[in-house]
Amino acid sequence: LNGASEIAQAIAKNTIMRVLDISLNEVGPRGAKEIAKALKVNTSLLSLKFSNCAISDKGLREVANSLKFNTSLQSMRLNNNGFGPKSGKVIGLLLQENSTLTSLDIGGNTIKDLGVVPIMAALKNNTTLKKIGLSLCGIRQKGGKNIAIAIEENLSLSSLDLSLNDINPELLHLIKEALQDDISNSEPLP
């Protein structure tokens, strides 16, 4: 926690740093809370790599709540942090309330079908997220169907990582087609 507090102080005060990678550190939920406080006031950080930090569902709630106030962070990696299906609701709310994130990777967390449902519900109306990583999340057919429906309605997403899940090939093909249709029917990026 002491190291996380020091990092949090630096995040809160620093106006130059654009990318921060604190992956592979034992931050935990308490450390995530400290870093979340700093993210509320930071206006310069564009990318945060926060993978393999054991922040769990509790730490994710803190980080997600801070991003209601943060208007600079565009990319976040939260791989392998011990999130379960309950975190899907937290991530869904994050995608509804934050309008600056363009890339989010939560791969390696066992959110499963139950967790992917609220994420995809939020993604239907999200217009800023371009990339989402959901590899190795324990997603099966029900989650895959929700993904396919969301992709049909979302016109901003251009990259989706579903590797190492248990979605049947036919459903993956439908998701791929929907994603390609969205890319070809969307306006060109500036």
Side-chain angles (χ1 to χ4, degrees), residues 53-113:
C53 292
I55 67 172
S56 76
D57 295 326
K58 186 176 180 181
L60 174 64
R61 277 192 301 278
E62 298 291 342
V63 172
N65 285 334
S66 73
L67 295 183
K68 292 177 189 176
F69 306 98
N70 183 294
T71 57
S72 63
L73 197 65
Q74 297 173 4
S75 175
M76 190 162 53
R77 292 185 63 120
L78 295 166
N79 307 80
N80 304 309
N81 270 304
F83 307 153
K86 291 180 183 179
S87 285
K89 288 182 182 179
V90 174
I91 295 165
L93 284 172
L94 167 64
L95 293 177
Q96 288 175 2
E97 296 171 345
N98 180 283
S99 61
T100 58
L101 271 183
T102 59
S103 178
L104 177 63
D105 193 343
I106 56 171
N109 291 291
T110 54
I111 60 167
K112 301 187 177 186
D113 289 348

Side-chain angles (χ1 to χ4, degrees), residues 80 83-85 106-117 133-144 147 161-167:
N80 304 309
F83 307 153
I106 56 171
N109 291 291
T110 54
I111 60 167
K112 301 187 177 186
D113 289 348
L114 184 63
V116 85
V117 171
L134 297 167
S135 66
L136 195 63
C137 284
I139 302 169
R140 300 180 66 111
Q141 305 319 1
K142 182 180 178 187
I147 292 168
D161 182 358
L162 292 173
S163 60
L164 302 172
N165 284 293
D166 192 18
I167 303 171

